[in-house]
Amino acid sequence: MNNKKGFTLVELVVVIAIIAILAAVTVPSFNGYLKRQKAEECRTQQKALVLHLKSERLRDPSMTMEKVIDKYKSELYCSDGGDYSAPDNNTVCCSKEGHGETSGVED
């Protein structure tokens, strides 16, 4: 009688196949989640810059978005490695994400 304990090769292959299938399903989903998270983080940074602009304009009505970006440059972080710019005095855009946020305040 053979009383060896352990797993057969077939059992191990089945487990590895199941793990591979689970990985094939979850990895793309996780990558999509990371991309959405980076885009949302970028939009949050843009909204923060707009709030900074509104706040700064209470003290100095001539404040522009470009000046706000320069002032808070050390605090800015784009998770995708993009840069923030101000195509006009009320809008901030990200070079990576391509969308912008407008302050709603006219000059």
Side-chain angles (χ1 to χ4, degrees):
M1 209 176 235
N2 191 356
N3 286 333
K4 292 184 180 177
K5 295 184 179 188
F7 297 105
T8 66
L9 181 60
V10 173
E11 291 170 330
L12 291 175
V13 168
V14 168
V15 169
I16 291 172
I18 291 171
I19 291 172
I21 291 169
L22 289 173
V25 171
T26 58
V27 168
S29 176
F30 183 70
N31 288 338
Y33 167 76
L34 288 178
K35 185 174 180 166
R36 287 189 307 275
Q37 182 270 335
K38 287 179 180 181
E40 184 60 34
E41 185 176 346
C42 183
R43 282 190 292 274
T44 301
Q45 285 279 349
Q46 289 174 322
K47 289 177 183 179
L49 284 170
V50 167
L51 290 175
H52 283 301
L53 175 63
K54 289 179 180 181
S55 172
E56 293 289 335
R57 280 194 176 163
L58 291 174
R59 287 178 262 175
D60 179 8
S62 67
M63 184 60 77
T64 64
M65 184 58 81
E66 195 64 47
K67 291 178 186 176
V68 170
I69 291 171
D70 287 340
K71 182 174 182 177
Y72 294 99
K73 192 174 257 334
S74 64
E75 298 174 24
L76 295 177
Y77 170 74
C78 182
S79 57
D80 252 358
D83 294 317
Y84 295 106
S85 63
D88 61 41
N89 288 336
N90 294 313
T91 306
V92 60
C93 291
C94 178
S95 62
K96 285 285 189 171
E97 292 298 324
H99 47 72
E101 185 72 27
T102 303
S103 71
V105 177
E106 297 302 320
D107 291 329

